[in-house]
Amino acid sequence: DTAVSQTPKYLVTQMGNDKSIKCEQNLGHDTMYWYKQDSKKFLKIMFSYNNKELIINETVPNRFSPKSPDKAHLNLHINSLELGDSAVYFCASSQNSYEQYFGPGTRLTVT
Amino acid sequence: AQSVTQLDSQVPVFEEAPVELRCNYSSSVSVYLFWYVQYPNQGLQLLLKYLSGSTLVKGINGFEAEFNKSQTSFHLRKPSVHISDTAEYFCAVGRARGGADGLTFGKGTHLIIQP
């Protein structure tokens, strides 16, 4: 009974393709997030979303878009993939801005 | 906006020795503070958190941290480390009662336990 799950765990694709990463949480939390971890292990918030607001980090290219079909899911869509998009992407969730619970990560490799 | 500085990118320690991983933060508003651990090829696991109250917080796996508001620090300590503690440790801050805000992370400290 994984709390925050992501699929796929690994994603290898070519430049220019469009891909999606799925995230689901079964904790009943009200807020979900996407983070990017680069090759130096630096973690940076990309998006945060609850039923009231979407907060987008201004440094995130508009090729990235979050989509939430319901409160338990926040998927990440990426258009026109570039080499620099290669990273590990983590989904997380929280309740009332307290501690965040992270998924296992999706390692994206763009060739 | 908040920022987090982890002063050491790498800390080598002998097994059963004590360790302290340093974290300083900057923020113009009240914050919550967290330490997360990342084992190789895994996600992030919460070690401990400071939300309010006692400035000394205890977490999992024998770790503890002390919040010092005047020095804007939240250093992580363990009295005796084990080989299994080898991992990347991240300090993070979040705006208190911040709604949908995400966390701001430090660059991480790689804890290396030597036998």
Side-chain angles (χ1 to χ4, degrees):
Chain A
D1 55 341
T2 305
V4 182
S5 59
Q6 296 178 229
T7 54
K9 187 170 176 62
Y10 300 96
L11 181 55
V12 181
T13 188
Q14 292 182 331
M15 287 174 55
N17 285 348
D18 303 337
K19 290 294 179 184
S20 295
I21 306 172
K22 295 185 177 181
C23 177
E24 177 181 3
Q25 56 97 2
N26 62 6
L27 299 167
H29 286 168
D30 60 5
T31 307
M32 296 184 72
Y33 312 82
W34 278 105
Y35 289 85
K36 179 181 180 180
Q37 186 174 44
D38 64 22
S39 59
K40 295 184 178 179
K41 294 192 177 294
F42 183 55
L43 281 149
K44 194 168 186 178
I45 182 74
M46 299 177 71
F47 304 100
S48 8
Y49 180 79
N50 64 20
N51 60 357
K52 298 174 185 174
E53 61 182 329
L54 169 66
I55 298 177
I56 303 171
N57 185 310
E58 61 188 12
T59 66
V60 175
N62 58 15
R63 298 181 294 103
F64 290 78
S65 58
K67 288 191 169 52
S68 180
D70 56 57
K71 188 179 170 184
H73 297 82
L74 184 66
N75 303 325
L76 182 64
H77 297 270
I78 316 170
N79 294 326
S80 302
L81 278 155
E82 300 177 358
L83 291 176
D85 298 332
S86 295
V88 181
Y89 292 85
F90 287 100
C91 177
S93 71
S94 73
Q95 183 67 24
N96 296 330
S97 78
Y98 296 146
E99 68 266 28
Q100 295 184 13
Y101 293 83
F102 284 78
T106 295
R107 183 174 295 276
L108 171 65
T109 303
V110 182
T111 63
Chain B
Q2 298 92 42
S3 66
V4 178
T5 302
Q6 290 184 245
L7 296 165
D8 305 298
S9 60
Q10 193 167 287
V11 173
V13 182
F14 286 106
E15 195 172 13
E16 298 184 8
V19 68
E20 179 179 81
L21 305 184
R22 297 179 292 169
C23 172
N24 288 87
Y25 70 93
S26 172
S27 177
S28 57
V29 298
S30 295
V31 294
Y32 296 149
L33 295 152
F34 308 90
W35 275 98
Y36 283 86
V37 60
Q38 184 178 28
Y39 298 103
N41 298 314
Q42 293 189 26
L44 281 84
Q45 181 181 6
L46 180 69
L47 274 179
L48 46 79
K49 63 190 178 192
Y50 173 79
L51 303 181
S52 65
S54 173
T55 57
L56 181 64
V57 293
K58 294 188 183 298
I60 62 171
N61 302 340
F63 284 94
E64 64 179 32
E66 185 152 20
F67 170 57
N68 187 319
K69 189 173 182 179
S70 63
Q71 296 187 3
T72 60
S73 67
F74 190 53
H75 301 331
L76 180 71
R77 296 191 292 258
K78 186 171 182 178
S80 175
V81 296
H82 303 283
I83 289 285
S84 59
D85 291 324
T86 296
E88 196 81 21
Y89 291 79
F90 294 94
C91 181
V93 300
R95 188 161 61 100
R97 295 173 292 282
D101 285 10
L103 297 178
T104 299
F105 282 86
K107 293 188 175 182
T109 298
H110 188 196
L111 179 60
I112 302 168
I113 310 301
Q114 302 167 324

